[in-house]
Amino acid sequence: MMDENQFRGHEQVVYLHDRESGLKAFIAVHDTSLGPGAGGCRMWNYDNELDALNDVLRLSRGMSYKNAVAGLALGGGKAVIIGNSRTDKSEALFRAFGRMIEGLGGKYISAEDVGMTVEDMEIIASETSYVAGLTKGAHASGDPSPFTATGVFLGIRAAVKHRLGRDSIEGLTIAVQGVGHVGYHLCKQLYGAGAKLLVSDINQDALNRVVSEFGAEIVDLDNILFAEADVLSPCALGAIVNDDTIDHIKAKIIAGAANNQLARDDHGQALMDRNILYAPDYVINAGGIINIAAETRGAYDVDWVNAKVDHIYDSLKVIFERSVSENRSTSRIADELAHEIIEKARVADRR
Ligand code: NAD
């Protein structure tokens, strides 16, 4: 029944059912060698429970890798609530979910993800202290997007240094797909560093803002991925590198905030074969989780957050260099690096 590939060393998977509120959810804790399993809660109208289970297994493993490479004292976890995020939300449902998180005693720390809002998370937080990424309260970290954007900006600089041999991005053309929360802040930094911006978005107001503030040039939705640019920075959708797009990408570097940019794992190698340098998504976009992680340490400390975000440059440098010396794709190397970090913590735990 189960796609066994999704089960890769998960420590705990819990199915939650609350008859009164109708809550049906999974929480998966992939690995806690580095710390409690942390990762967002997604609400999605899955076709069936097996799809939800596969998703939570895959996503929780991804969070272990992301938190490990970001240098956080957090393991990987994820939750999925099965339901329609427009019609199935209720206070009772979120309260029941919060009580169940509390019941795990801190093994899983939740945060907002697709289909959830900060307001939903606040209801959950009224039943459990194991929620981060809130906008209110003593340790609240606020909007993570500027930190994510800074990490992506640094990641672009690391990629430019490696692939183009330049310290500066002045005069380079950078195509940004999606100028929402992260994309806007990224454009601001790129413009400040002298880059020429090509942008696309389905939201005209968002486009107008970057055109007027940063002199960006609009490219239509169908062409942004194939723009004549030095860097392509996907900041909207996942799976933009796929069988249909890959042969038409002209940029020498792909470095952006979007999650799950590769439609399949083997697209990482396919990019390498085409001499396109790919900054693995979960490494370059870790600024957001780093900011959220600050809440789990006690009083929010922006200096700690900035130091961790700055480190994204060095992590990518290591990944790019290892990719060359070991002749394997940057996405594979990132996964291997994550494994190594987790394994080291596991061995230390056993001692
Ligand atoms: P957002 O919703 O604020 O921005 C996304 C933008 O993409 C919107 O302006 C939207 O109109 C646009 N868009 C949607 N479909 C598009 C299309 N087909 N073509 C072009 N533009 C399109 O989201 P965000 O917070 O800026 O996040 C952007 C991406 O980065 C997402 O994939 C998100 O999962 C990922 N991410 C965000 C953070 C964070 O801190 N916000 C952290 C890690 C990863």
Side-chain angles (χ1 to χ4, degrees):
M1 272 181 71
M2 205 79 68
D3 175 359
E4 288 176 21
N5 288 332
Q6 300 293 1
F7 274 110
R8 283 189 207 150
H10 287 79
E11 284 179 20
Q12 190 174 7
V13 182
V14 190
Y15 177 63
L16 314 173
H17 184 206
D18 179 63
R19 217 166 281 151
E20 259 118 78
S21 65
L23 170 72
K24 284 184 177 178
F26 285 103
I27 294 177
V29 176
H30 175 254
D31 194 283
T32 58
S33 310
L34 289 161
C41 169
R42 177 169 289 200
M43 185 165 186
W44 195 255
N45 216 359
Y46 294 97
D47 285 342
N48 54 60
E49 288 168 11
L50 195 57
D51 284 356
L53 175 60
N54 275 325
D55 213 24
V56 80
L57 291 171
R58 181 179 63 85
L59 293 167
S60 57
R61 189 176 69 233
M63 287 310 301
S64 285
Y65 293 0
K66 181 171 188 158
N67 293 337
V69 178
L72 301 175
L74 292 174
K78 201 85 183 185
V80 296
I81 296 177
I82 302 169
N84 186 319
S85 61
R86 282 192 300 276
T87 54
D88 294 342
K89 288 183 177 180
S90 71
E91 182 173 342
L93 183 138
F94 289 139
R95 280 185 176 275
F97 182 63
R99 285 193 295 276
M100 289 173 176
I101 293 177
E102 186 66 18
L104 292 176
K107 212 169 174 192
Y108 168 64
I109 299 176
S110 198
E112 182 194 347
D113 198 71
V114 177
M116 297 292 283
T117 65
V118 171
E119 290 72 32
D120 300 334
M121 296 313 296
E122 271 160 10
I123 300 173
I124 294 168
S126 67
E127 297 283 352
T128 176
S129 49
Y130 304 118
V131 174
L134 299 173
T135 49
K136 288 186 230 154
H139 307 321
S141 58
D143 180 9
S145 308
F147 296 97
T148 305
T150 297
V152 174
F153 175 72
L154 293 170
I156 289 174
R157 283 193 36 211
V160 164
K161 174 76 178 165
H162 182 83
R163 177 69 175 77
L164 307 177
R166 295 173 47 146
D167 283 311
S168 158
I169 57 171
E170 191 169 2
L172 294 183
T173 300
I174 305 195
V176 183
Q177 182 189 43
V179 286
H181 286 96
V182 179
Y184 169 79
H185 289 289
L186 175 64
C187 285
K188 188 179 195 169
Q189 297 199 41
L190 293 171
Y191 173 72
K196 177 177 183 294
L197 298 170
L198 305 177
V199 293
S200 83
D201 201 293
I202 52 173
N203 178 339
Q204 191 59 43
D205 290 339
L207 281 176
N208 292 343
R209 198 170 166 205
V210 292
V211 168
S212 74
E213 292 185 27
F214 315 129
E217 183 187 319
I218 298 173
V219 173
D220 60 62
L221 293 170
D222 294 337
N223 288 326
I224 190 78
L225 298 177
F226 317 128
E228 294 283 355
D230 299 290
V231 180
L232 169 62
S233 187
C235 294
L237 312 163
I240 53 99
V241 178
N242 56 50
D243 291 342
D244 296 329
T245 60
I246 195 161
D247 283 326
H248 308 289
I249 295 171
K250 298 188 191 77
K252 301 168 198 81
I253 291 165
I254 299 179
N259 282 312
N260 305 318
Q261 291 171 33
L262 307 181
R264 288 193 315 271
D265 286 351
D266 60 279
H267 286 121
Q269 182 61 45
L271 286 173
M272 189 176 181
D273 294 343
R274 286 160 180 77
N275 201 17
I276 297 173
L277 180 64
Y278 171 61
D281 45 17
Y282 67 81
V283 181
I284 194 171
N285 74 12
I289 188 74
I290 291 170
N291 191 53
I292 288 171
E295 284 183 38
T296 64
R297 304 174 65 251
Y300 179 75
D301 177 357
V302 75
D303 294 335
W304 179 88
V305 174
N306 284 327
K308 289 271 180 213
V309 172
D310 284 351
H311 195 67
I312 289 174
Y313 183 101
D314 301 312
S315 300
L316 284 168
K317 184 169 182 275
V318 167
I319 289 167
F320 295 153
E321 286 169 359
R322 257 179 78 166
S323 166
V324 172
S325 65
E326 298 178 22
N327 195 25
R328 283 203 302 282
S329 69
T330 54
S331 50
R332 277 256 328 252
I333 297 289
D335 287 357
E336 286 170 16
L337 190 64
H339 272 291
E340 287 164 16
I341 295 167
I342 293 167
E343 198 45 42
K344 215 166 140 191
R346 214 175 267 160
V347 170
D349 269 359
R350 282 201 291 265
R351 281 205 188 112

